[in-house]
Amino acid sequence: MNMLRTELKKTNLKVYFKASFGILAGILAMGILFLFLPEIEGSSPKGEELFHEWDGIFMLISVLNSVSFGILAAVAAARLVIGEYGGKGAAVILCYPIKQRKILNAKCLIICVFITVAEFICSAVIMAALYIVSEIAGAELAAPSSAFPITIPCVGILSGLLSSVTGIISVTIGWKKRSVPAAVVSSFIAGCLLAQCFSFSPKNILPTTAVICAVLSTAAVFVYNSLAKSIEKLEV
């Protein structure tokens, strides 16, 4: 707990709060556009499936959230890991009389908890706002399934975890290159690939998200151990 408190004091979370609010505002604006897109211009049958049903709208919002927060997680992890261990202050942090793995664990835990909670809140707020807008504006959308109110928070949490592990994997790639941009680009590419997985079945987004999250979480465990061992070798 002392280690977590120390890392929290060192971490400027205000920057990430502002970034999270920016993501929320941007995706909310896009969500409102999705509601009325079929009325703006003609859409294909695939477009009708996505923009005329709550399942399709929620899938698009979830993908945007996952990609955006995945990039934010990569940026945060890169600043806390690559920025400290690969920068001029590395000699100082490596001289701490504490195992570097414990410090790394604290850094990554802070990132994972923050990203998961922020994405969960973002997903819930956006969907609630879209529902209110649709009721006021009279947007015609197919009624969702009875399990939809349960699906939204579950997917929000799973997507947050997915973004977190994507950030951890991306920062490991960036660490190999000792490059923050490499970590961010890796996260963006991973997000684009994951978006394709979600697009195949919008109505089954919960099981799809759960499966992808389980697979990437397992991969992240091995990748994280590799990152930790690499940093432990720097100890003096």
Side-chain angles (χ1 to χ4, degrees), residues 62-98:
S62 297
V63 169
L64 289 172
N65 266 330
S66 184
V67 174
S68 300
F69 279 99
I71 294 174
L72 180 60
V75 171
R79 292 182 64 178
L80 293 179
V81 177
I82 301 175
E84 292 193 14
Y85 287 105
K88 296 180 180 179
V92 176
I93 193 172
L94 290 172
C95 289
Y96 289 171
I98 305 170

Side-chain angles (χ1 to χ4, degrees), residues 78-156:
R79 292 182 64 178
L80 293 179
V81 177
I82 301 175
E84 292 193 14
Y85 287 105
K88 296 180 180 179
V92 176
I93 193 172
L94 290 172
C95 289
Y96 289 171
I98 305 170
K99 288 292 184 181
Q100 293 303 317
R101 182 180 284 266
K102 290 185 178 180
I103 298 176
L104 184 64
N105 289 344
K107 292 178 183 294
C108 291
L109 181 60
I110 290 171
I111 294 169
C112 290
V113 171
F114 178 85
I115 293 296
T116 301
V117 173
E119 187 163 348
F120 168 76
I121 293 174
C122 185
S123 178
V125 169
I126 289 174
M127 292 307 297
L130 290 182
Y131 177 77
I132 293 172
V133 171
S134 68
E135 288 294 308
I136 294 175
E140 296 181 0
L141 294 172
S145 64
S146 58
F148 199 62
I150 299 175
T151 300
I152 292 176
C154 289
V155 171

Side-chain angles (χ1 to χ4, degrees), residues 43-50:
S43 58
S44 63
K46 181 64 176 178
E48 288 188 17
E49 180 183 348
L50 289 176

Side-chain angles (χ1 to χ4, degrees), residues 100-225:
Q100 293 303 317
R101 182 180 284 266
K102 290 185 178 180
I103 298 176
L104 184 64
N105 289 344
K107 292 178 183 294
C108 291
L109 181 60
I110 290 171
I111 294 169
C112 290
V113 171
F114 178 85
I115 293 296
T116 301
V117 173
E119 187 163 348
F120 168 76
I121 293 174
C122 185
S123 178
V125 169
I126 289 174
M127 292 307 297
L130 290 182
Y131 177 77
I132 293 172
V133 171
S134 68
E135 288 294 308
I136 294 175
E140 296 181 0
L141 294 172
S145 64
S146 58
F148 199 62
I150 299 175
T151 300
I152 292 176
C154 289
V155 171
I157 294 173
L158 289 173
S159 293
L161 292 173
L162 183 58
S163 297
S164 299
V165 298
T166 300
I168 298 299
I169 294 173
S170 298
V171 80
T172 303
I173 295 173
W175 173 252
K176 297 293 183 183
K177 303 285 186 179
R178 298 298 193 275
S179 170
V180 173
V184 177
V185 171
S186 298
S187 179
F188 177 75
I189 294 174
C192 292
L193 293 175
L194 290 174
Q196 298 302 314
C197 299
F198 287 111
S199 64
F200 289 117
S201 183
K203 294 182 180 295
N204 297 311
I205 187 170
L206 180 54
T208 301
T209 306
V211 170
I212 296 175
C213 187
V215 172
L216 278 189
S217 295
T218 302
V221 170
F222 292 100
V223 170
Y224 179 77
N225 284 329

